């Protein structure tokens, strides 16, 4: 078995994608922030002590998608041409869905995962004074399109609007 991020000597290196043709690619990730009924009430009525949790979390996620190569040492610097973060407050927490798009030489799965992860972290930061037991759960890629491997939707997931 060979590993794409290791050279012949076993040292980590960035995969060379310079000869690949740019194509349109998207990836969608989802995650969940489980929190108390007190947090849900504060989110729904806009009374969280630190302000508009949802707005701050959405912007944090979009910013994170664009900053992925700064966080992950072997991620390629690519043009993030689209980044959206949707949040849905439900009875036991906040559902997060991030979709990232590019027209570049490599996919945006890591950017979508980073967007969801940082969105979740921003929520935790904004509500930790109300609920110290908050939990980030189930961060995963649910769909991707474009590139050599084509389209994919995680079995058991509903395809995001962008993949329908």
């Amino acid at each position: 078995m060979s590993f794409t991020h290791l050279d012949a000597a076993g040292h980590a290196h960035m995969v060379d994608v310079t000869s690949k043709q740019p194509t349109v690619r998207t990836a969608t990730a989802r995650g969940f922030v489980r929190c108390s009924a007190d947090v849900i009430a504060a989110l729904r009525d806009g009374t969280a002590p630190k302000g508009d949790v949802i707005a701050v979390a959405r912007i944090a996620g979009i910013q994170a998608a664009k900053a992925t190569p700064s966080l992950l040492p072997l991620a390629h610097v690519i043009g993030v041409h689209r980044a959206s973060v949707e949040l849905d407050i439900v009875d036991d927490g906040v559902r997060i869905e991030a979709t990232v798009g590019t027209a570049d030489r490599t996919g945006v799965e890591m950017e979508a995962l980073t967007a969801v992860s940082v969105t979740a972290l921003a929520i935790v930061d904004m509500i930790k004074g109300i609920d110290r037991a908050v939990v980030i759960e189930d961060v995963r890629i649910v769909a991707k399109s474009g590139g050599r491997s084509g389209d994919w939707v995680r079995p058991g997931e509903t395809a995001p609007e962008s993949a329908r």
Side-chain angles (χ1 to χ4, degrees):
M1 174 188 283
S2 65
F3 296 99
T4 58
H5 284 76
L6 298 178
D7 65 16
H11 301 117
H13 73 105
M14 182 183 271
V15 174
D16 183 0
V17 296
T18 54
S19 64
K20 292 174 77 173
Q21 287 298 107
T23 60
V24 174
R25 301 157 184 264
T26 63
T28 299
R30 292 184 181 138
F32 189 72
V33 177
R34 186 170 304 282
C35 46
S36 68
D38 290 341
V39 169
I40 298 305
L43 294 175
R44 286 183 170 151
D45 64 20
T47 59
K50 290 188 175 183
D52 190 341
V53 174
I54 300 302
V56 169
R58 178 176 286 116
I59 295 300
I62 292 168
Q63 181 177 339
K66 299 186 302 180
T68 299
S70 297
L71 301 169
L72 301 175
L74 300 180
H76 291 89
V77 176
I78 61 172
V80 172
H81 301 117
R82 170 185 176 208
S84 65
V85 176
E86 300 303 323
L87 297 104
D88 183 24
I89 302 167
V90 295
D91 289 342
D92 57 346
V94 181
R95 292 185 188 127
I96 304 164
E97 180 177 286
T99 299
V100 180
T102 190
D104 218 315
R105 291 176 170 86
T106 189
V108 285
E109 293 90 343
M110 297 313 299
E111 287 75 6
L113 287 167
T114 302
V116 168
S117 299
V118 173
T119 299
L121 289 169
I123 293 169
V124 171
D125 182 49
M126 296 286 287
I127 57 102
K128 66 185 181 227
I130 305 170
D131 182 2
R132 297 197 186 282
V134 65
V135 176
I136 297 170
E137 299 178 343
D138 206 18
V139 176
R140 74 240 181 244
I141 292 291
V142 297
K144 58 116 7 225
S145 66
R148 185 183 68 234
S149 61
D151 297 352
W152 176 83
V153 176
R154 179 178 295 281
E157 294 279 356
T158 56
E161 287 294 323
S162 62
R164 290 183 194 152

